[in-house]
Amino acid sequence: MLFQELGKLKRSMIMTSVIMMAVGILMLICPERYASLLVVAAGYGLLILASVMGFEFLSSKKVLINYIYLTGALLIGILGAAVLFYRKNVLQVLGLLFGIFLVLEGLGEMLNTWKYARRAQRSGWWVLILLSLLLVAAGIVILTNPWWDTPSSLMKVVGGMMLFSSAVGIIHVILIWPFKNI
């Protein structure tokens, strides 16, 4: 039972990274004239995700973790509404949030690598440290925003970083996963 749940968790983590890769590729290939349409689609997508999470809460057992998920769903819904209301400035805010996310993700993955992969004497733990440092550097580059001024160029940079972050996430899951047969 435990190994089945761990297998589901691993597949879920990899599929989430694959979906994020697809979104990154979509952001990279999206022409400039369709950037506003992509922002609107993201807003509606966030609202739909919040609705699905809210309906899952209604059908679930009312335990603490489900209330935490409901809180996350409400925050996602508010974010989706904000994206729809403030379409003009959403890419700058997205760049700021994504830069912070990359820095935090890179630091978290570096900590996990240091705690688990290095102690388990995995052969490629130093590669994971290097990739985590690259994630932190990418987040800092997005936060400082030195080279791009237009929303379309920022969208391309965020899309490229999302693609890179998802690839690092998949490599991280594969190299750190404690069980070989799941």
Side-chain angles (χ1 to χ4, degrees):
M1 181 76 162
L2 176 65
F3 289 119
Q4 290 173 348
E5 292 301 317
L6 286 173
K8 287 180 190 177
L9 178 67
K10 182 179 180 183
R11 282 190 300 273
S12 172
M13 291 169 74
I14 290 176
M15 282 309 298
T16 301
S17 291
V18 167
I19 290 170
M20 295 305 288
M21 283 178 132
V23 170
I25 290 171
L26 182 65
M27 289 177 80
L28 282 173
I29 64 172
C30 182
E32 185 174 343
R33 64 179 183 225
Y34 295 121
S36 62
L37 179 66
L38 192 61
V39 169
V40 171
Y44 283 122
L46 288 171
L47 286 175
I48 290 170
L49 177 64
S51 300
V52 168
M53 289 174 72
F55 288 137
E56 284 179 0
F57 171 76
L58 291 175
S59 67
S60 68
K61 297 177 183 175
K62 306 302 186 262
V63 293
L64 179 62
I65 191 69
N66 291 331
Y67 284 102
I68 294 171
Y69 289 153
L70 178 65
T71 304
L74 292 174
L75 291 174
I76 289 172
I78 291 170
L79 181 65
V83 165
L84 290 175
F85 294 148
Y86 304 108
R87 294 179 193 166
K88 301 295 182 202
N89 300 326
V90 76
L91 284 176
Q92 287 79 17
V93 173
L94 176 69
L96 176 73
L97 291 175
F98 194 69
I100 292 170
F101 173 74
L102 278 179
V103 169
L104 293 177
E105 181 185 14
L107 292 174
E109 285 190 6
M110 191 181 319
L111 181 67
N112 284 337
T113 301
W114 192 259
K115 280 194 316 192
Y116 301 120
R118 185 184 64 86
R119 287 184 184 170
Q121 297 175 349
R122 298 283 177 137
S123 59
W125 68 269
W126 59 273
V127 173
L128 293 175
I129 293 284
L130 181 66
L131 289 173
S132 300
L133 285 173
L134 285 174
L135 278 178
V136 171
I140 290 171
V141 165
I142 287 180
L143 286 174
T144 58
N145 197 8
W147 297 292
W148 47 87
D149 296 329
T150 64
S152 64
S153 63
L154 181 62
M155 187 173 70
K156 303 260 187 251
V157 169
V158 169
M161 295 298 173
M162 189 179 294
L163 189 64
F164 176 68
S165 170
S166 299
V168 169
I170 289 174
I171 292 169
H172 195 265
V173 167
I174 290 171
L175 290 180
I176 267 192
W177 198 254
F179 306 108
K180 293 293 181 191
N181 58 357
I182 297 178

